[in-house]
Amino acid sequence: MLALLKRDLYLALYSSSSFFYTSSFFVLVLIILPFLFGTNNVQLQVLFKGIIWIGLSLSILLTMERIFNADYEDGNLDIIIQRYPSLETIIISKYITHWLVYCLPLFIILPILSFLFYVSLDNFFLIFLNLFFGSLGMVFIVTFVSALTLGAKRTIFLKAIIVIPLFVPFLIFGTNLESWPILLALSMMSFVLSIYVSAYGLRLYVE
Amino acid sequence: MNLRLTNKQINIIEKANPFLIVSTIVAFTFGLYFSLLQSPPDYIQGDSMRIMYIHVPSAWFALMAYTILAGSSVLWFITRNPIFSIIARSIAQIGMIFTLISLVTGSIWGKPTWGVWWVWDARLTSMLLLFFLYLAYIFLWKSITNKDLASKISAALAIVGFVNIPIIKFSVDWWNTLHQPATISKLSSPSIDISMMIPLFIMTLATFLFLVTVFFIRLRIEILDNKILRIREVK
Amino acid sequence: MNELISMGGYAPFIWSAYGFFFITIITLFIINFLRLKKREEVLNKINNNRD
């Protein structure tokens, strides 16, 4: 599993994006805010809590084709599955890679962002917790959807239509500061669902 | 894909068609007579509540169709009988249309009742999300060219969607109590007078007959598609 | 009769809702009916070619 993880991480960081790109993306999504809504402190603070979730959703959603599609199309997925007999190992390794590459940068720059948007220290920790548990669940969801849609035509819009209704509970509870235990529960539920459904999808396409 | 509907059953489905069409038209005629003429206007909402007689059946069948969609997907997983996959596919489009109807008529009903076309009420928002669940199911089915695979994949998606519905409902309800006082969104009378029950019942029956008519036609389309596919494969 | 058309002042709402309902379901029916006819035609053509 470690070897697989290393390979995936190497490929993701080497070929397409680095920590720098992803964190720049988050900063830029949030920089739009004052341009759109003016520089009112109180308003910005409220909007920040929402837009940061849009940034996270976009970053997870737009990159979901990198989870399985690239490996599936050049045939590497077959080789990986032959080498690692349990599909669950592969899927968990994909979770970790996707989270590390496309979510972790957000948490690294979150302190700076909250400083820019006047978030108090207490709120910062709550936002951090919410985003952490929410991003886990969203990665689980995106993984099983991408396993299911491997054979579909490559349209990110179809995948967005499937994924966004599944994101809605996370977004609803994510923007409320005290609800991180609910997000944790949702993430655990989506983990169980995701393991089964991703394995089912992969098995269908590889056989 | 082999079909396990016998020829006799297919025959019944075909023969039932004219009978179903006629009884749908008759039921709608009675339903319209009772809902537009024979029933009294509501004492709070006036005549505008007559929209209920088309709105409520559509909403019920929109939800029922998703239950059938998910139920037959589960049965498909257990039995692997292709008829369940065909049933699921046939009901999906009908369910989506009824969701759309209930959204539009609800919005038209909302204008005189609430004063605006749309409120971010828990029920309306859940219905809107249900519409997109249907849309996702249909689009996913269409975008996979290998139809054998497509039926396996979309069955999984239908079940995931069904598991997600109570979660969406719960979170949307919670979100609604947080952001809005409940008083504007609730309709005035939860109990319905008997004089309104009769038109509602007839309209529900009529809508149900219509649903069965179109459902049977869609079943036949799917069966013929399979036949054509098999003949082409043999050649 | 006038009463029926004016609907106690709610005419535009009621008639547009009922209109939307019936236009949509009739369209749904016609589209599926035409699709069925098309399939039947194709099948007949295939069968005729075979004979």
Side-chain angles (χ1 to χ4, degrees):
Chain A
M1 179 167 169
L2 268 180
L4 183 64
L5 199 63
K6 233 175 167 177
R7 167 195 172 270
D8 284 342
L9 271 178
Y10 179 76
L11 274 179
L13 293 176
Y14 181 78
S15 66
S16 46
S17 40
S18 69
F19 269 50
F20 181 71
Y21 289 156
T22 325
S23 35
S24 309
F25 172 77
F26 285 120
V27 175
L28 282 167
V29 166
L30 285 159
I31 278 179
I32 298 173
L33 261 183
F35 295 134
L36 287 175
F37 302 103
T39 49
N40 181 338
N41 294 8
V42 184
Q43 204 185 7
L44 279 182
Q45 223 175 318
V46 174
L47 292 168
F48 172 76
K49 280 189 281 179
I51 305 289
I52 198 156
W53 281 90
I54 293 185
L56 182 65
S57 311
L58 283 180
S59 140
I60 296 177
L61 188 67
L62 296 177
T63 54
M64 68 183 283
E65 295 201 322
R66 301 196 186 145
I67 304 178
F68 292 118
N69 274 72
D71 283 341
Y72 175 67
E73 275 154 23
D74 60 17
N76 273 329
L77 197 61
D78 293 284
I79 300 171
I80 296 172
I81 287 176
Q82 272 165 19
R83 191 181 291 172
Y84 299 90
S86 92
L87 283 174
E88 283 73 18
T89 320
I90 302 169
I91 294 163
I92 289 175
S93 145
K94 294 285 182 187
Y95 292 150
I96 299 172
T97 318
H98 204 67
W99 192 83
L100 284 180
V101 177
Y102 301 110
C103 297
L104 186 63
L106 174 64
F107 296 100
I108 294 172
I109 56 158
L110 192 64
I112 304 164
L113 286 175
S114 355
F115 171 72
L116 285 178
F117 287 93
Y118 319 103
V119 178
S120 69
L121 200 62
D122 295 348
N123 280 356
F124 165 76
F125 284 117
L126 289 172
I127 290 178
F128 189 93
L129 271 181
N130 272 355
L131 281 172
F132 180 73
F133 291 124
S135 63
L136 289 180
M138 284 154 92
V139 167
F140 299 147
I141 283 175
V142 149
T143 307
F144 83 72
V145 173
S146 101
L148 280 183
T149 53
L150 269 182
K153 286 164 204 144
R154 283 190 81 167
T155 47
I156 197 71
F157 292 111
L158 167 72
K159 290 169 194 181
I161 291 175
I162 299 175
V163 166
I164 291 175
L166 300 173
F167 273 1
V168 165
F170 289 98
L171 301 181
I172 286 176
F173 289 112
T175 43
N176 183 273
L177 286 183
E178 271 86 41
S179 55
W180 63 267
I182 303 176
L183 284 167
L184 176 62
L186 281 175
S187 294
M188 276 154 56
M189 275 159 73
S190 44
F191 176 73
V192 176
L193 193 71
S194 171
I195 280 276
Y196 278 108
V197 181
S198 321
Y200 172 78
L202 285 184
R203 227 169 262 135
L204 280 181
Y205 283 110
V206 170
E207 271 163 15
Chain B
M1 268 209 267
N2 68 318
L3 279 171
R4 288 177 216 172
L5 267 185
T6 60
N7 279 333
K8 205 175 154 194
Q9 282 163 328
I10 295 173
N11 226 352
I12 291 173
I13 291 175
E14 276 174 28
K15 289 273 158 57
N17 199 30
F19 173 74
L20 277 171
I21 293 172
V22 171
S23 49
T24 307
I25 293 171
V26 171
F28 268 126
T29 318
F30 272 99
L32 282 177
Y33 173 69
F34 273 99
S35 57
L36 292 176
L37 289 168
Q38 259 316 50
S39 64
D42 186 69
Y43 74 104
I44 296 171
Q45 294 186 33
D47 279 310
S48 76
M49 57 77 61
R50 291 183 199 280
I51 296 176
M52 180 188 81
Y53 303 131
I54 50 175
H55 172 72
V56 170
S58 323
W60 279 343
F61 289 121
L63 293 170
M64 193 194 79
Y66 204 91
T67 317
I68 294 175
L69 173 62
S72 51
S73 301
V74 171
L75 284 175
W76 181 85
F77 265 105
I78 298 169
T79 62
R80 300 280 160 159
N81 186 336
I83 189 66
F84 289 119
S85 149
I86 289 177
I87 289 175
R89 241 173 297 137
S90 308
I91 203 80
Q93 189 200 30
I94 304 174
M96 189 182 79
I97 293 296
F98 275 109
T99 316
L100 183 68
I101 290 176
S102 76
L103 280 170
V104 172
T105 54
S107 157
I108 295 173
W109 190 11
K111 179 66 182 166
T113 318
W114 300 318
V116 281
W117 294 105
W118 181 266
V119 236
W120 287 98
D121 163 61
R123 267 180 300 177
L124 288 172
T125 316
S126 313
M127 279 311 255
L128 193 61
L129 287 168
L130 182 71
F131 179 76
F132 285 106
L133 288 181
Y134 274 121
L135 207 66
Y137 179 87
I138 293 169
F139 279 178
L140 183 61
W141 161 260
K142 284 194 173 152
S143 74
I144 300 175
T145 33
N146 178 349
K147 289 306 171 199
D148 204 28
L149 195 62
S151 66
K152 290 174 186 168
I153 294 293
S154 36
L157 184 70
I159 293 169
V160 169
F162 195 65
V163 171
N164 201 39
I165 283 180
I167 300 175
I168 289 181
K169 189 81 186 66
F170 165 69
S171 56
V172 167
D173 280 344
W174 183 85
W175 160 79
N176 205 237
T177 53
L178 196 75
H179 288 271
Q180 221 176 27
T183 41
I184 4 165
S185 58
K186 291 282 178 296
L187 289 172
S188 50
S189 55
S191 59
I192 300 176
D193 190 68
I194 188 76
S195 60
M196 297 174 184
M197 285 298 276
I198 298 166
L200 183 61
F201 175 76
I202 300 174
M203 284 305 265
T204 308
L205 184 75
T207 314
F208 179 71
L209 284 171
F210 170 80
L211 194 143
V212 175
T213 316
V214 177
F215 177 64
F216 277 5
I217 290 178
R218 288 196 59 82
L219 274 184
R220 280 162 69 195
I221 292 177
E222 297 287 345
I223 291 166
L224 288 186
D225 264 352
N226 268 311
K227 251 188 203 164
I228 295 170
L229 206 72
R230 255 186 300 164
I231 292 172
R232 291 209 170 129
E233 271 171 10
V234 169
K235 279 182 181 176
Chain C
M1 196 62 200
N2 265 340
E3 217 171 279
L4 172 69
I5 294 170
S6 70
M7 276 293 163
Y10 290 113
F13 302 112
I14 295 189
W15 293 119
S16 59
Y18 275 75
F20 180 81
F21 178 80
F22 282 103
I23 289 172
T24 315
I25 66 170
I26 290 170
T27 318
L28 180 68
F29 175 79
I30 291 174
I31 285 175
N32 280 307
F33 195 73
L34 291 180
R35 266 194 212 154
L36 180 67
K37 288 294 157 226
K38 211 170 102 193
R39 303 294 194 286
E40 279 173 353
E41 254 171 47
V42 171
L43 204 66
N44 276 340
K45 219 183 250 169
I46 293 174
N47 282 340
N48 287 343
N49 284 347
R50 230 199 229 157
D51 300 334

